[in-house]
Amino acid sequence: MDIRTICVHGCDKRYDNTGAVAVPIFASATFSHPGVGKSTGFDYSRTLNPTREHLEYTMAALEGGVYSIAFSSGMAAVTALMELFSPGDHVVAPDDLYGGTYRLFEHISHKNGVNFTYVNTLEGIEKAIRPETKAIFIETPTNPMMQVIDIEAVSRIARARKLLLVVDNTFLTPYYQRPLKLGADIVLHSGTKYLGGHNDTLAGILVTSNPNLYERLIFIAKTIGACLSPFDSFLIIRGIKTLAVRMDRMQESALTIAKWLTEHSAVDKVYYIGLPDHPGYEISRRQSSGFGGMISFSLKDPEIAVKTLERVKIIKYAESLGGTESLITYPMLQTHADMPEEERNARGINAGLLRLSVGVEAVDDLIADLKKAMG
Ligand SMILES: Cc1ncc(COP(=O)(O)O)c(C=O)c1O
């Protein structure tokens, strides 16, 4: 079945016989037992809830996986994932990484005895692997520098060294990129972004095809309890229905805006993976079916960056991405505020860098808004 149809209808499983077209919100913390030692299949919502389960099956289908677990936020999903590791374990990650993930790795996982090496090339990944390395964690394209990582090439390294490969697929979603098919073991999402798609709720998702990994992860999930509520599960299911239409529209607008930015005299550099001169363009064409709606760009004068943030009207100066409303972010002060300045600058996350999440507004209005704000 075409992924656009799966987006609309979700998984086949239905939980009532009313014919309800929308998936019901099962707002029940607990479920009564038909007899001693008997269960309807649902006992307690931290472990399993029908609305959440529908979302989980849908996400597994969309990613071409078998199992999925929905969490209360993307960071809750990363936190659960990190519980797979023990003190002394080592993980290799890209040096351009969502700031919240970096903060979790450095301030929580590291305190719990897990060590990290950050690299930015395939050779770097190979070199960083040690006897105690257990996993490679990547996001592609990276947030916010939009670097493209060759998932298949990394998966070959992971297989050869018997390491787990985790891919954060938040930016492209399964509509444009399916990391499990490219050799990943686990796919991770901030469902808050494109999946939910309306800037109205938080969610996190893990997907895998490996039954052992799933057993370990579902045990962690039900034990730590950061599960997605039935209401939020409903919102994500509803968001996913229009994922394909939104992604295509955002991508079309993003390409137009990226081209316009490259010609603007105040702009130093545009980082959009759909521009043919982007260094990751060819890899993207090979491993993804689209380029998405995220653009980072640096302004020659950091003062213009600040003015842009303060003057935009239609585009909102706000954290997050992937929703119907266009959002502009100042990575230096927002997503990457907890990264030491030196490391931030080394990655290009400086005072002139802005990140734009292109929404579904009319592209001419977005360009007019940017044009006025950038002066
Ligand atoms: C790539 C990426 N991964 C994970 C997260 C964390 O997700 P959440 O904000 O839903 O906790 C984010 C949030 O911005 C993100 O951009």
Side-chain angles (χ1 to χ4, degrees):
M1 198 187 286
D2 191 292
I3 191 163
R4 290 169 295 188
T5 309
I6 305 175
C7 283
V8 176
H9 292 281
C11 74
D12 291 338
K13 194 154 179 194
R14 289 293 178 268
Y15 299 89
D16 70 347
N17 50 16
T18 62
V21 171
V23 176
I25 302 171
F26 285 87
S28 190
T30 191
F31 299 83
S32 65
H33 304 296
V36 174
K38 291 186 183 153
S39 167
T40 60
F42 298 96
D43 302 317
Y44 188 58
S45 276
R46 171 155 42 76
T47 311
L48 195 61
N49 173 279
T51 315
R52 191 171 68 239
E53 189 189 56
H54 190 279
L55 168 63
E56 291 168 341
Y57 281 134
T58 300
M59 277 310 298
L62 290 175
E63 284 287 1
V66 180
Y67 312 100
S68 166
I69 308 174
F71 295 86
S72 53
S73 71
M75 289 319 301
V78 189
T79 303
L81 178 85
M82 293 318 292
E83 290 298 333
L84 289 174
F85 306 111
S86 305
D89 286 351
H90 173 248
V91 175
V92 180
D95 66 4
D96 185 35
L97 191 63
Y98 166 59
T101 304
Y102 176 83
R103 181 174 58 215
L104 180 93
F105 286 179
E106 285 306 299
H107 296 279
I108 311 274
S109 308
H110 185 65
K111 169 180 72 71
N112 294 338
V114 182
N115 297 307
F116 297 85
T117 303
Y118 303 98
V119 294
N120 66 5
T121 58
L122 286 177
E123 300 76 57
I125 292 177
E126 295 239 44
K127 274 197 196 141
I129 294 168
R130 317 172 190 160
E132 63 273 25
T133 306
K134 292 289 185 315
I136 304 172
F137 180 107
I138 60 173
E139 56 182 44
T140 180
T142 60
N143 181 2
M145 298 311 294
M146 304 301 293
Q147 290 167 19
V148 177
I149 302 174
D150 186 333
I151 300 173
E152 256 179 330
V154 179
S155 85
R156 280 195 292 274
I157 299 173
R159 290 271 169 277
R161 309 294 283 266
K162 295 196 168 29
L163 306 176
L164 213 58
L165 174 59
V166 183
V167 179
D168 183 331
N169 200 26
T170 299
F171 270 31
L172 289 184
T173 81
Y175 180 56
Y176 284 146
Q177 179 168 276
R178 299 216 208 175
L180 295 178
K181 303 256 180 245
L182 299 166
D185 299 292
I186 299 175
V187 170
L188 184 146
H189 282 279
S190 167
T192 314
K193 313 298 192 285
Y194 289 102
L195 300 175
H198 292 76
N199 290 319
D200 56 8
T201 189
L202 302 177
I205 309 278
L206 294 178
V207 185
T208 184
S209 292
N210 179 320
N212 296 329
L213 274 176
Y214 174 69
E215 283 312 315
R216 289 166 67 197
L217 287 167
I218 194 73
F219 177 82
I220 293 166
K222 75 173 184 191
T223 305
I224 64 175
C227 55
L228 193 65
S229 77
F231 290 98
D232 291 318
S233 299
F234 171 82
L235 283 177
I236 304 295
I237 292 167
R238 189 171 65 170
I240 289 172
K241 286 177 190 287
T242 55
L243 178 69
V245 221
R246 285 184 287 107
M247 292 302 285
D248 283 343
R249 168 65 169 273
M250 289 166 173
Q251 167 171 269
E252 195 187 324
S253 299
L255 184 60
T256 308
I257 294 171
K259 284 183 183 158
W260 177 80
L261 283 169
T262 51
E263 282 161 18
H264 197 290
S265 59
V267 174
D268 183 29
K269 230 170 158 198
V270 179
Y271 306 88
Y272 179 60
I273 63 168
L275 291 175
D277 63 354
H278 186 285
Y281 182 73
E282 287 307 326
I283 302 173
S284 285
R285 277 170 45 111
R286 207 172 59 234
Q287 72 182 7
S288 322
S289 57
F291 304 109
M294 295 301 300
I295 306 170
S296 290
F297 60 103
S298 58
L299 290 148
K300 291 174 188 157
D301 179 355
E303 267 182 37
I304 297 191
V306 172
K307 278 189 186 147
T308 304
L309 293 167
E310 288 175 347
R311 287 184 190 162
V312 279
K313 293 232 158 23
I314 296 168
I315 301 168
K316 303 294 175 231
Y317 168 32
E319 223 156 305
S320 204
L321 61 106
T324 40
E325 299 83 5
S326 295
L327 302 181
I328 195 159
T329 312
Y330 203 20
M332 180 181 91
L333 293 187
Q334 292 179 295
T335 52
H336 288 67
D338 287 333
M339 187 174 273
E341 192 181 342
E342 248 171 57
E343 299 202 18
R344 242 194 296 115
N345 284 333
R347 289 162 166 81
I349 307 168
N350 53 38
L353 186 82
L354 300 180
R355 192 195 70 189
L356 177 66
S357 167
V358 178
V360 297
E361 302 94 338
V363 68
D364 290 349
D365 287 336
L366 296 177
I367 290 180
D369 199 29
L370 279 173
K371 193 172 177 184
K372 235 180 174 175
M374 286 160 65

